[in-house]
Amino acid sequence: QVQLVESGGGLVQPGGSLRLSCVASESIFSSNRMGWYRQAPGKQREWVALITAGGGTNYADSVKGRFTISRDNAKNTVYLQMNSLKPEDTAVYSCNNIPPRASWGQGTQVTVSS
């Protein structure tokens, strides 16, 4: 049973934008905090952003002011709008609860390069 499906990644130039989407199963999404994480090559997975069931948000310092997390409760979907992308944002991006409870999805690759 697939619980998390991420999409929207791609190759973008520095300064560009991408919007990621994550569709979650009802049991994972409903009334739970959701978050985006990322893992760069050779590094551990790190937390990027979270959103509470009520819409409260918080961000890692490295993305604050550039990334925006949102959720559509009717669609069990969480989004990550990424603006002013930098090469150091290159990573596989995944979503999960905060803290993570579900099996990780395949993630979506974001590559920022000129």
Side-chain angles (χ1 to χ4, degrees), residues 5-7 20-22 34-38 46-51 68-70 78-81 93-96 98 108:
V5 180
E6 300 93 346
S7 62
L20 308 183
S21 299
C22 170
M34 294 295 298
W36 282 96
Y37 303 78
R38 67 185 181 187
E46 64 175 354
W47 165 75
V48 174
L50 73 83
I51 186 165
T68 303
I69 189 171
S70 60
V78 61
Y79 304 98
L80 187 68
Q81 177 67 43
Y93 285 72
S94 302
C95 67
N96 209 316
I98 300 285
T108 185

Side-chain angles (χ1 to χ4, degrees), residues 33-64:
R33 295 193 302 178
M34 294 295 298
W36 282 96
Y37 303 78
R38 67 185 181 187
Q39 186 168 20
K43 295 187 178 181
Q44 289 191 336
R45 183 180 284 125
E46 64 175 354
W47 165 75
V48 174
L50 73 83
I51 186 165
T52 68
T57 60
N58 199 10
Y59 300 91
D61 287 344
S62 58
V63 307
K64 199 170 293 184

Side-chain angles (χ1 to χ4, degrees), residues 2 6 8 10 13 25 33 36 39 41 43 46 54 66-69 72 74-75 83-84 87 90 92 94 101 105 111:
V2 178
E6 300 93 346
Q13 293 186 342
S25 61
R33 295 193 302 178
W36 282 96
Q39 186 168 20
K43 295 187 178 181
E46 64 175 354
R66 300 188 297 122
F67 291 10
T68 303
I69 189 171
D72 185 333
K75 297 181 179 180
N83 299 328
S84 302
T90 295
V92 175
S94 302
R101 293 192 291 111
T111 303

